[in-house]
Amino acid sequence: MNIPNDPMMLLSFINTKLRDDYKDFPTLCYELELDESAVTDKLASIDYSYNKELNRFV
């Protein structure tokens, strides 16, 4: 899947998908065939990390 390259746009995209379509981040990555660590690293570059309890990057 083609996902946004800009970290802020990626954050919005991932959090929207998590809110609307997926029960957790690993499932989102599996179903969209995304590299979980690459997405996590990109969002960490803008000081965001996945919060399992909230099911979003904060």
Side-chain angles (χ1 to χ4, degrees), residues 17-35:
K17 287 288 191 185
L18 287 169
R19 182 191 68 220
D20 295 345
D21 301 321
Y22 295 97
K23 65 179 182 151
D24 58 37
F25 181 59
T27 302
L28 178 149
C29 289
Y30 176 79
E31 291 188 7
L32 297 181
E33 299 178 356
L34 301 176
D35 181 334

Side-chain angles (χ1 to χ4, degrees), residues 6-20:
D6 176 82
M8 291 304 291
M9 295 299 292
L10 179 62
L11 174 66
S12 177
F13 173 82
I14 294 293
N15 277 342
T16 298
K17 287 288 191 185
L18 287 169
R19 182 191 68 220
D20 295 345

Side-chain angles (χ1 to χ4, degrees), residues 29-46:
C29 289
Y30 176 79
E31 291 188 7
L32 297 181
E33 299 178 356
L34 301 176
D35 181 334
E36 189 172 335
S37 63
V39 173
T40 301
D41 290 347
K42 174 84 75 167
L43 294 177
S45 75
I46 57 169

